[in-house]
């Protein structure tokens, strides 16, 4: 049985999630603060964590960062914070999706299932390395190395984006498809996310970021990775 840890200090929301998740066959554990959540993950790692950011003891962003130091468990953030900066920070730290309150249960369950699929079977791990004259990306080990041997640190979101492109290397990947795969099924119009992260990857990997050779934009359509 898939085990889900729900971390939320609002009893009504925690109770609603427990009832809905249990009715769909999930094994649900509740934690009302950050310390309890981290302890629960140490005792028995769940298959997925639903994480509120506004916790009474440790900010949820810090909980997420500590989780990512220890494991790669899928994390779906559930928060009342609507600011795009909060979303970007959480996704950059390794959250698999970000759902804002109030939320629809059907959409939430779809995002949760998508995060479980990504966490349980990351197809990029089976891909061969992306090798170019300027850099090498080892997708299995998540290791990026420039031609001179310098290691480059990519964020979890950057790895997901470059992995999605690497699975279809050379082919055009539509913007909506990339958004669904990298950020979750609730995303499809946030093309600004793609622009920001594509530019970050170019600054880290391309020899001349303003004249990319590898990560190409097809205006109005999508992106492709050419190697």
């Amino acid at each position: 049985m898939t085990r889900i840890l729900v971390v939320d200090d609002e009893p009504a929301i925690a109770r609603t999630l427990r009832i809905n998740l249990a009715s769909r066959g999930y094994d649900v554990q509740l934690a009302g603060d950050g310390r309890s959540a981290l302890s629960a993950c140490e005792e028995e790692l769940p298959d997925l964590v639903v994480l509120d950011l506004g916790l009474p003891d440790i900010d949820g962003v810090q909980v997420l960062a500590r989780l990512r130091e220890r494991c790669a468990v899928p994390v779906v953030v559930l928060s009342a914070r609507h600011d795009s900066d909060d979303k970007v920070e959480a996704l950059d730290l390794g959250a698999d999706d970000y759902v804002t309150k109030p939320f629809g249960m059907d959409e939430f369950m779809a995002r949760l299932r998508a995060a479980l699929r990504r966490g349980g079977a990351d197809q990029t791990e089976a891909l061969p390395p992306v090798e170019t004259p300027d850099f090498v990306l080892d997708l299995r080990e998540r290791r990026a190395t420039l031609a001179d041997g310098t290691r480059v640190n990519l964020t979890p979101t950057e790895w997901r984006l470059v992995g999605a492109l690497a699975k279809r290397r050379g082919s055009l990947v539509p913007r909506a498809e990339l958004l669904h795969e990298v950020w979750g099924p609730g995303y499809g119009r946030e093309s600004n996310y793609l622009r920001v992260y594509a530019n970050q990857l170019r600054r880290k990997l391309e020899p001349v970021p303003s004249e990319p050779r590898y990560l190409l934009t097809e205006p109005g359509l999508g992106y492709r990775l050419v190697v």
Side-chain angles (χ1 to χ4, degrees):
M1 183 179 291
T2 301
R3 181 169 173 267
I4 296 178
L5 173 64
V6 174
V7 187
D8 200 304
D9 65 331
E10 296 184 47
I13 290 180
R15 183 169 57 252
T16 297
L17 289 174
R18 182 181 60 190
I19 292 171
N20 279 274
L21 290 168
S23 69
R24 290 166 171 82
Y26 295 105
D27 178 21
V28 185
Q29 181 179 2
L30 301 180
D33 56 62
R35 291 186 178 85
S36 299
L38 293 170
S39 296
C41 288
E42 287 180 356
E43 292 173 5
E44 184 179 356
L45 190 66
D47 297 293
L48 182 140
V49 176
V50 177
L51 177 63
D52 181 24
L53 296 184
L55 300 173
D57 56 346
I58 306 173
D59 188 80
V61 170
Q62 296 179 37
V63 174
L64 175 59
R66 294 188 193 181
L67 282 175
R68 280 294 166 263
E69 291 173 357
R70 306 173 187 180
C71 63
V73 61
V75 176
V76 174
V77 169
L78 181 61
S79 176
R81 300 177 186 175
H82 291 250
D83 194 297
S84 61
D85 289 342
D86 292 318
K87 295 180 182 180
V88 169
E89 182 180 18
L91 292 167
D92 243 359
L93 283 172
D96 293 79
D97 204 346
Y98 193 109
V99 180
T100 54
K101 300 176 182 176
F103 59 95
M105 188 57 65
D106 288 342
E107 179 184 346
F108 174 77
M109 295 304 303
R111 290 177 182 237
L112 184 147
R113 291 191 296 270
L116 284 169
R117 286 195 298 271
R118 291 195 297 271
D122 188 350
Q123 298 176 359
T124 63
E125 292 186 356
L127 292 175
V130 175
E131 299 182 353
T132 78
D134 296 294
F135 61 84
V136 175
L137 301 176
D138 187 329
L139 296 160
R140 178 183 293 274
E141 299 296 331
R142 291 204 166 189
R143 183 169 57 241
T145 310
L146 299 182
D148 62 2
T150 302
R151 289 283 298 274
V152 179
N153 292 321
L154 303 187
T155 69
T157 304
E158 289 167 350
W159 276 115
R160 287 202 296 271
L161 176 56
V162 79
L165 292 168
K167 283 191 288 187
R168 309 162 184 81
R169 62 187 74 186
S171 299
L172 173 68
V173 185
R175 291 180 301 186
E177 188 174 329
L178 275 175
L179 286 164
H180 290 166
E181 184 163 345
V182 177
W183 280 275
Y187 296 80
R189 299 177 180 230
E190 295 83 354
S191 57
N192 59 310
Y193 286 20
L194 292 172
R195 286 195 299 272
V196 169
Y197 282 93
N199 286 333
Q200 288 178 185
L201 284 168
R202 288 171 181 141
R203 284 195 296 270
K204 293 180 179 182
L205 300 174
E206 295 273 5
V208 183
S210 61
E211 300 175 6
R213 297 171 52 187
Y214 306 105
L215 205 170
L216 306 182
T217 302
E218 299 289 344
L221 299 174
Y223 293 78
R224 72 175 80 230
L225 181 65
V226 178
V227 296

